[in-house]
């Protein structure tokens, strides 16, 4: 789509083939010349060239994800890449695979638009945890991965030279007295790296963590109810003053004010009615 700068209205440019089914997430490389797509249902990661006018060309590479499926008999029958994230250097792509209990890492050739496995290739997660989404610390060599089925967040040391991950901590995303069913959905990090937020579907909350400024290890700060059911997506706005929770099953987007000192969330009272919201993209600065 092209975007009208004055109104934000969209006009369709074109459509392109990802070479797979259910493109669950995508990310532009730092140059803006290539789009990388996670094909959830078919277990592949695709690279699509971006034309000078912003239109997309069909995929030029499909990287297949291989490994042993996890133990969940319904959600982990095969590879299910759910997220694609470029590391801060833009030289590597991290792909959490919910189905294989692995987090894959690829080198990215920004000239040719090609993915190639790193020496490590992937890191194995706890069985049945189902890695879903990942985020990097803005300055430290640290990455965090939210595990969907395990309702947990794993802290990894990130080797930015070789593109390797080493797990150093796992924390639950739920309070200890919650006994119901839950799946983790989204993870987001404050611009200063001090706070990490994860959404819970079932507990219907945002888990709030403080990140150690030297190690990146997390400590639980608390939980904020999302005022709706099934928060599939959460994000901080560009100003970092507000967090929005998209309650997919509750058909609402709820707004929270962020305390910059503590990381805690306070509802603003603004709730937007919208059918099955699953993600939000912000334009502009703060």
């Amino acid at each position: 789509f092209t975007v009208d700068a004055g109104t934000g209205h969209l006009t369709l440019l074109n459509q392109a083939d990802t070479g797979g089914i259910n493109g669950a997430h995508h990310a532009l490389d730092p140059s803006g010349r290539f789009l990388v797509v996670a094909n959830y249902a078919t277990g592949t990661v695709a690279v699509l060239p971006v034309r000078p006018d912003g239109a997309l060309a069909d995929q030029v590479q499909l990287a297949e994800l291989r490994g042993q499926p996890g133990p969940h008999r319904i959600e982990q029958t095969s590879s299910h890449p759910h997220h694609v994230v470029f590391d801060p250097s833009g030289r590597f792509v991290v792909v959490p695979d919910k189905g294989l209990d692995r987090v894959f890492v690829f080198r990215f050739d920004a000239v040719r638009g090609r993915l190639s496995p790193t020496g490590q290739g992937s890191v194995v997660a706890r069985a049945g945890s189902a890695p879903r989404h990942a985020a990097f610390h803005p300055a430290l060599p640290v990455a965090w991965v939210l595990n969907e089925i395990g309702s947990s967040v794993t802290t990894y040391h990130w080797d930015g030279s070789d593109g390797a991950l080493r797990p150093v901590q796992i924390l639950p995303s739920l309070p200890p007295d919650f006994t119901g069913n839950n799946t983790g959905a989204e993870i987001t990090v404050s611009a200063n790296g001090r706070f990490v937020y994860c959404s819970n579907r079932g507990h219907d909350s945002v888990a709030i963590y403080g990140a150690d400024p030297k190690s990146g290890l997390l400590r639980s700060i608390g939980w904020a109810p999302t005022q709706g059911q099934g928060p599939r997506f959460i994000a901080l706005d560009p100003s970092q003053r507000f967090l929005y929770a998209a309650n997919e099953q509750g058909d609402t987007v709820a707004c929270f004010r962020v305390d910059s000192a503590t990381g805690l969330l306070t509802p603003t009272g603004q709730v937007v009615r919208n059918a099955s919201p699953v993600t939000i993209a912000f334009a502009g600065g703060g």
Side-chain angles (χ1 to χ4, degrees):
F1 298 86
T2 57
V3 183
D4 185 299
T7 65
H9 290 177
L10 304 178
T11 302
L12 179 65
L13 260 181
N14 78 325
Q15 296 175 324
D17 187 357
T18 68
I21 299 172
N22 192 3
H25 189 265
H26 58 257
L28 283 167
D29 86 294
S31 75
R33 296 177 55 233
F34 298 97
L35 186 75
V36 183
V37 181
N39 289 318
Y40 177 87
T42 45
T44 57
V45 181
V47 180
L48 284 69
V50 180
R51 296 172 179 167
D53 66 350
L56 292 170
D58 290 343
Q59 59 86 17
V60 294
Q61 182 190 13
L62 275 179
E64 187 175 354
L65 305 183
R66 294 186 173 93
Q68 180 68 31
H72 198 289
R73 291 181 293 177
I74 298 174
E75 298 292 335
Q76 294 185 305
T77 58
S78 63
S79 169
H80 290 314
H82 209 296
H83 204 208
V84 287
V85 184
F86 280 88
D87 83 307
S89 75
R91 297 187 300 119
F92 298 96
V93 177
V94 170
V95 183
D97 193 314
K98 168 184 164 181
L100 302 184
D101 283 332
R102 288 178 180 267
V103 181
F104 289 85
V105 186
F106 295 91
R107 290 186 181 274
F108 183 73
D109 184 333
V111 176
R112 299 186 303 137
R114 298 290 296 180
L115 297 167
S116 59
T118 62
Q120 183 187 42
S122 66
V123 61
V124 179
R126 179 178 287 172
S129 59
R132 177 183 170 96
H133 279 196
F136 282 90
H137 190 283
L140 296 176
V142 170
W144 296 287
V145 174
L146 178 65
N147 303 303
E148 178 175 327
I149 298 175
S151 293
S152 61
V153 57
T154 304
T155 302
Y156 291 88
H157 176 267
W158 168 246
D159 184 335
S161 298
D162 298 326
L165 292 166
R166 176 172 57 86
V168 293
Q169 181 194 44
I170 300 178
L171 287 181
S173 66
L174 296 168
D177 60 350
F178 180 73
T179 59
N181 295 320
N182 187 80
T183 55
E186 183 62 282
I187 183 169
T188 190
V189 180
S190 63
N192 58 16
R194 292 182 58 196
F195 304 106
V196 175
Y197 301 90
C198 299
S199 67
N200 288 303
R201 298 174 296 183
H203 189 242
D204 294 336
S205 67
V206 177
I208 308 166
Y209 302 91
D212 184 275
K214 293 183 179 180
S215 67
L217 295 178
L218 300 181
R219 59 180 177 85
S220 177
I221 292 176
W223 291 265
T226 60
Q227 303 183 19
Q229 186 179 359
R232 182 182 175 120
F233 180 82
I234 56 172
L236 294 159
D237 82 313
S239 76
Q240 302 285 291
R241 295 170 53 221
F242 301 98
L243 181 143
Y244 291 87
N247 295 304
E248 180 184 14
Q249 302 303 319
D251 297 333
T252 60
V253 177
C255 179
F256 300 83
R257 189 176 301 277
V258 180
D259 188 314
S260 61
T262 66
L264 295 176
L265 305 175
T266 303
T268 65
Q270 181 188 28
V271 177
V272 178
R273 301 287 173 182
N274 189 77
S276 302
V278 296
T279 195
I280 301 170
F282 292 97

